[in-house]
Amino acid sequence: MTTDRFDFKAAASALAADGWCLVPDLMDPAQTRALARECTAMHDAKLLLPARTGAAHTVSALRGDSTHWFVTGAMSAPQQAFAERIDVLRIALNRELMLGLVECESHYAVYRPGAGYARHLDRLRDNDARVVSAVFYLNEDWRETDGGALRLYLEDGAYRDIHPHAGSLLLFLSAQFEHEVLPATRDRLSIACWMRQRPLGAAG
């Protein structure tokens, strides 16, 4: 059963103040391990595909990960547990910050040793649907010497390196922060997630 150690209000306050935050304990540790095992098994079975970039969904040298998107109605039990928990967070952020978030999209991401993702912005050109980016890390016993940090570029020109320790969740505003994934010396596992609003001009 998922615990309530995750402080939704503190996450919302940090996001409002700084535009990003790193928080622990979104999922129960057993659920995090289940996601890591499934991600690894799917990757070993070649069920993850080379990631694509941009609105045209093209394979690019800019990024080196392989991904598997979570499909509504066809999720495994570990995926469903994550989807339900991240949706609770979406609702909390709406309540605290009135962001108008209507849905989440998520995928597993595996970077093999030496692979990375060049500096980029998550909000796509001519599409303002993505509001909050979330990255949930699945790597037990990760050491900083393993590399693989997500480098988040701050507005003052500085940057912060976020190491992908299992159970930690990075949140940041999709339109505000450029970021990159630095190469690691071991497989690097995560779930990338975007909380979305209805695009401007969308019906309904």
Side-chain angles (χ1 to χ4, degrees), residues 22 32 36 40 109-116 136-151 161-168 181-190:
L22 181 68
T32 301
T40 297
V110 175
Y111 291 83
R112 299 305 311 275
F136 183 62
Y137 294 113
L138 306 176
N139 309 286
E140 289 196 358
D141 303 318
W142 194 272
R143 300 168 299 180
E144 292 190 3
T145 54
D146 293 328
L150 185 148
R151 178 163 290 177
D161 283 350
I162 310 298
H163 292 275
H165 299 289
S168 59
V181 176
L182 304 179
T185 59
R186 53 181 280 200
D187 285 350
R188 178 190 187 276
L189 281 58
S190 65

Side-chain angles (χ1 to χ4, degrees), residues 61-78:
L62 294 175
R63 62 184 297 186
D65 57 325
S66 297
T67 65
H68 173 82
W69 288 90
F70 294 4
V71 179
T72 302
M75 294 185 197
S76 66

Side-chain angles (χ1 to χ4, degrees), residues 18-131:
D18 301 320
W20 73 279
C21 61
L22 181 68
V23 287
D25 299 329
L26 176 71
M27 307 288 292
D28 182 274
Q31 292 176 316
T32 301
R33 288 192 293 272
L35 287 161
R37 286 194 300 269
E38 180 180 75
C39 182
T40 297
M42 293 184 71
H43 182 267
D44 291 346
K46 303 188 185 305
L47 297 176
L48 274 65
L49 302 175
R52 298 172 181 268
T53 60
H57 303 292
T58 55
V59 175
S60 169
L62 294 175
R63 62 184 297 186
D65 57 325
S66 297
T67 65
H68 173 82
W69 288 90
F70 294 4
V71 179
T72 302
M75 294 185 197
S76 66
Q79 292 171 24
Q80 188 63 45
F82 174 81
E84 290 173 359
R85 193 63 169 158
I86 206 74
D87 205 52
V88 173
L89 175 58
R90 177 188 65 81
I91 292 168
L93 293 180
N94 274 344
R95 182 177 61 247
E96 298 294 330
L97 305 178
M98 295 179 289
L99 294 177
L101 306 170
V102 297
E103 63 182 1
C104 300
E105 56 180 1
S106 303
H107 66 60
Y108 282 133
V110 175
Y111 291 83
R112 299 305 311 275
Y117 194 161
R119 183 169 175 171
H120 66 284
L121 200 65
D122 275 353
R123 179 169 284 187
L124 303 177
R125 186 179 296 120
D126 301 323
N127 187 328
D128 64 350
R130 290 177 175 178
V131 177

